[in-house]
Amino acid sequence: MLFLFPELILCGLGLGATVAALFCRGRGAGRWALYGFFVCLAGVVTGLCLLAYAIDLGPEATGQLTPEFIARTFAVDPLSLFFSTLALAVCGLAMLFSMEFVEEVLEEHPAEFLALIAFASLGIACVARSRDLITLFFSLELVSISGYLLSGMLRREPRSLEAALKYFLIGAVSSAIMLFGMSLIYGLTGATDLRVLRDAVGEGHLHAVGQLAGVRMVSSQDPMVITGILCIVVGLGFKIAMVPFHMWCPDVYEGAPTPATAFLSVGPKAAGFVAIVRLLMLTFAPSSGPVPWAQPVLWLCALTMTLGNVVACRQTNLKRMLAYSSIAHSGYILIAVVSLGSADLALPAIVMYLIAYVLMNVGAFSVVIALSNIEGREDIHAYNGLSKRSPYLAYAWVIFAMSLAGVPPTAGFLGKLYVFMAALDDRVRLYWLAVVGVANAVISVWYYFRVARHMFFVEGVRTEPIRVGRGAGWAIGLSLAGTLVLVPLFPWLISFATSAAQVLGAW
Amino acid sequence: MGFMLGDILESLGQPVGLRHCLVFAALLFAVGLYGVLTRRNAIGILMALELMLNAVNANLVAFWRYGPGPREALNGQVFAVFVITMAAAEAAVGLAIILALFRLRRTVNADEVNLLKG
């Protein structure tokens, strides 16, 4: 149970906030958010200590410390412990940047907002742990259902409700399609355990290769298997907003309350990618022979990057622009997903990119939150002359824009570097994809720095200084520190991620 | 390719087995998907969605009964029970959102909900 510590913290936090909701109406919710942040902070520190302990012990000994009935569906390897610590960090940052929002904007149910964030983070942590189809699906669903509610928290605001309705309908349909695919996979093999599935979906071209302890071996070329896997790809594609399943993303991000958007842009996306790593890269990727999902995802990856970046250029609402930018970032991470042949580079690249993405996106959104708490709007003209009104926000945005666009010396640059290296490896040779990726990074510089131009070089109508809220200010500071401090730490992180990925390959 | 249409139609004449269940579930899923794509009323979309989830349940239980796994392993049934639970949770959340929207806008038509564009 020791290694399930982050999950226990998140679960306790969610339940605690639910109970607190009974007593807490209106004012005072900001204080609860602060307490939540400190709990998460303590949890992250403990989680990192546990991580060091788990790496020291090695995977076998770690597994033995966990009861059988948990270990059967919950992985306790270092990588999953790392991801659940990351989920705890996301939860803490979200508590921090929504502090002013729950205190001042959200009049009804402020503590429920915090509870939903904690439960969604619990879902992310559990996705990373799952080694069974059933656990994996229901953890994803925990993230999604909390997300629908988070986006509709402003019940008197038609745009927020519209975002919630769209997110709900599209999310629920995509879940149903994914479930249908999972039912086919279960039916063909008779197993839901991901490790058994990995062995059962083999490379042979025969329909039924043989029996293995009540499990039927099937070929990865079997039309039913391909249908099942493609259904799962469609479902996961909706979760990470992969083109052509991205239509919901800009609308939901624009309509949802800004702190909810900030959480939705990192939480469900991280969960979706962790699920992709578990399901597609580690389970349904036979070591030899063609991988059924690789070709379609390869083309969609190039499309996702390009469409996200090109459409982001003509957005004037910052939330919508960041929505398209997050679609583009999904595309970059997908480069590493399709670079299967160099999995020993691709897995650490995904881990690194996700960390960088969480930090820089939370940071960029915190700037938007800090301003929208005061101005109540997010269009680009609200940012005119910001460098005079609040130099802190303006300079922070420049750093986050550099990181998002992939300019050194930021975490975003290193994330992109490792992703492209995975594609350029001799075993994969996806040169054209890396070229498309670099071209897209160049396009993205334009729209991130267009906002910076408005901040520094356009005179604003209003000139009075902005008092940045405590929570948003600290969230910006922490992600700023993370974006810059991660750079010297990267060699160490990469070696950790590589060793964790090797453990995972053997899992 | 053992799944040609003629094959399936031929085997439907035989005693009820896995094929019947799968064809039924696939049709149910298709009807649900059609409903989701064509309905304008949000409640109608929600109902079509339930059809899709029930198709999945039919699949899971049929695969448990006739599939390759051992009958003692209850994976399929457990999965189906969880799917039912999730469908209920999703319906609760969905109806709550639709109700709040109706109070505000006096409409539940999905294509009249179009403030967000760009």
Side-chain angles (χ1 to χ4, degrees):
Chain A
M1 295 301 280
L2 179 64
F3 293 103
L4 294 179
F5 183 72
E7 278 82 357
L8 295 177
I9 291 272
L10 283 171
C11 195
L13 207 57
L15 294 175
T18 315
V19 174
L22 297 174
F23 306 106
C24 157
R25 285 273 163 266
R27 299 263 153 193
R31 205 166 26 119
W32 289 102
L34 196 62
Y35 295 158
F37 165 71
F38 284 124
V39 171
C40 289
L41 189 66
V44 168
V45 173
T46 323
L48 289 178
C49 296
L50 277 178
L51 191 60
Y53 180 47
I55 293 176
D56 198 38
L57 273 181
E60 289 84 20
T62 325
Q64 276 160 10
L65 278 175
T66 314
E68 220 316 271
F69 73 98
I70 291 179
R72 211 176 297 151
T73 50
F74 260 53
V76 266
D77 49 38
L79 191 68
S80 59
L81 187 60
F82 174 77
F83 272 125
S84 29
T85 313
L86 186 68
L88 202 51
V90 169
C91 180
L93 283 172
M95 296 265 170
L96 207 51
F97 63 57
S98 48
M99 215 168 99
E100 282 82 34
F101 174 75
V102 293
E103 179 85 23
E104 285 150 25
V105 184
L106 200 63
E107 279 138 12
E108 317 164 87
H109 316 302
E112 278 91 335
F113 188 83
L114 304 176
L116 285 170
I117 284 182
F119 283 129
S121 310
L122 176 64
I124 305 169
C126 290
V127 170
R129 296 282 194 181
S130 318
R131 48 168 48 155
D132 195 281
L133 270 187
I134 304 180
T135 327
L136 185 89
F137 179 78
F138 291 100
S139 310
L140 268 179
E141 208 53 25
L142 182 56
V143 185
S144 300
I145 292 185
S146 312
Y148 311 147
L149 289 169
L150 278 176
S151 57
M153 271 317 265
L154 290 174
R155 281 200 309 167
R156 309 254 179 274
E157 181 64 51
R159 297 157 72 85
S160 169
L161 279 181
E162 177 177 336
L165 184 71
K166 282 183 175 166
Y167 194 21
F168 166 73
L169 289 178
I170 291 180
V173 172
S174 71
S175 298
I177 294 175
M178 181 156 62
L179 260 182
F180 194 75
M182 286 181 174
S183 78
L184 288 182
I185 297 288
Y186 160 70
L188 288 172
T189 57
T192 54
D193 190 313
L194 294 184
R195 287 164 300 175
V196 179
L197 280 180
R198 184 192 51 194
D199 298 333
V201 179
E203 52 260 29
H205 289 272
L206 295 167
H207 176 51
V209 186
Q211 295 276 334
L212 170 85
V215 175
R216 184 162 61 190
M217 315 282 282
V218 288
S219 152
S220 60
Q221 299 307 304
D222 186 310
M224 287 267 269
V225 173
I226 293 181
T227 314
I229 292 178
L230 287 185
C231 281
I232 294 178
V233 169
V234 170
L236 291 174
F238 272 110
K239 304 265 180 252
I240 61 162
M242 175 171 80
V243 173
F245 314 115
H246 68 287
M247 308 81 62
W248 60 272
C249 179
D251 285 357
V252 171
Y253 282 20
E254 188 188 343
T258 316
T261 308
F263 181 77
L264 291 180
S265 74
V266 290
K269 188 156 288 201
F273 271 106
V274 176
I276 282 184
V277 168
R278 279 275 189 225
L279 272 180
L280 299 187
M281 293 184 74
L282 295 173
T283 307
F284 299 130
S287 46
S288 65
V291 179
W293 52 268
Q295 205 59 32
V297 175
L298 180 65
W299 292 105
L300 292 181
C301 156
L303 257 178
T304 306
M305 281 189 285
T306 315
L307 187 134
N309 277 320
V310 169
V311 182
C313 286
R314 41 177 289 265
Q315 300 303 322
T316 52
N317 182 308
L318 260 264
K319 273 157 92 181
R320 246 188 134 73
M321 190 198 91
L322 285 173
Y324 281 107
S325 125
S326 87
I327 294 174
H329 282 282
S330 290
Y332 297 132
I333 308 180
L334 281 175
I335 295 181
V337 172
V338 293
S339 307
L340 264 180
S342 58
D344 53 331
L345 291 175
L347 280 176
I350 293 174
V351 175
M352 292 295 100
Y353 204 105
L354 276 180
I355 302 173
Y357 174 77
V358 164
L359 287 170
M360 61 202 184
N361 225 38
V362 163
F365 265 111
S366 300
V367 173
V368 179
I369 291 169
L371 199 69
S372 90
N373 279 342
I374 292 171
E375 301 269 310
R377 58 196 197 124
E378 293 95 17
D379 61 303
I380 198 163
H381 298 293
Y383 292 79
N384 290 351
L386 189 71
S387 66
K388 299 205 178 58
R389 301 178 67 192
S390 167
Y392 178 50
L393 288 186
Y395 284 104
W397 174 272
V398 171
I399 303 281
F400 294 131
M402 279 168 71
S403 185
L404 284 164
V407 180
T410 50
F413 163 71
L414 288 168
K416 279 207 178 58
L417 184 71
Y418 282 104
V419 163
F420 294 149
M421 265 164 54
L424 292 174
D425 192 74
D426 266 348
R427 290 159 291 175
V428 184
R429 291 174 188 276
L430 287 170
Y431 298 126
W432 68 270
L433 197 60
V435 170
V436 171
V438 172
N440 268 298
V442 174
I443 298 176
S444 71
V445 172
W446 188 79
Y447 62 84
Y448 292 128
F449 281 93
R450 189 177 58 146
V451 183
R453 187 178 71 86
H454 278 263
M455 288 174 173
F456 285 90
F457 303 119
V458 179
E459 285 298 319
V461 183
R462 301 174 67 174
T463 49
E464 74 276 16
I466 289 177
R467 230 191 104 260
V468 180
R470 199 164 40 142
W474 273 98
I476 294 171
L478 281 179
S479 21
L480 207 55
T483 314
L484 295 173
V485 167
L486 265 185
V487 179
L489 284 182
F490 246 63
W492 177 80
L493 274 174
I494 273 289
S495 69
F496 156 69
T498 313
S499 62
Q502 276 160 359
V503 169
L504 217 125
W507 124 139
Chain B
M1 293 279 283
F3 308 105
M4 288 301 148
L5 194 60
D7 251 21
I8 294 177
L9 288 178
E10 196 179 320
S11 70
L12 287 185
Q14 286 156 17
V16 173
L18 183 59
R19 287 241 163 131
H20 294 82
C21 299
L22 292 190
V23 168
F24 165 70
L27 287 177
L28 196 60
F29 189 79
V31 169
L33 194 59
Y34 176 79
V36 164
L37 295 177
T38 55
R39 287 265 148 192
R40 293 171 63 231
N41 189 313
I43 306 272
I45 299 178
L46 202 59
M47 285 163 71
L49 195 73
E50 296 295 315
L51 284 188
M52 289 170 80
L53 291 175
N54 282 334
V56 173
N57 282 338
N59 245 356
L60 287 171
V61 174
F63 276 133
W64 169 78
R65 174 69 179 73
Y66 300 106
R71 202 67 50 79
E72 304 79 51
L74 293 175
N75 292 14
Q77 294 222 12
V78 170
F79 208 155
V81 168
F82 273 112
V83 172
I84 293 170
T85 322
M86 183 212 78
E90 237 172 30
V93 169
L95 283 176
I97 293 172
I98 293 170
L99 205 63
L101 194 74
F102 182 75
R103 285 203 185 127
L104 212 60
R105 305 271 311 267
R106 294 281 143 197
T107 178
V108 289
N109 272 0
D111 47 0
E112 284 171 33
V113 183
N114 52 7
L115 291 173
L116 301 165
K117 281 184 205 146

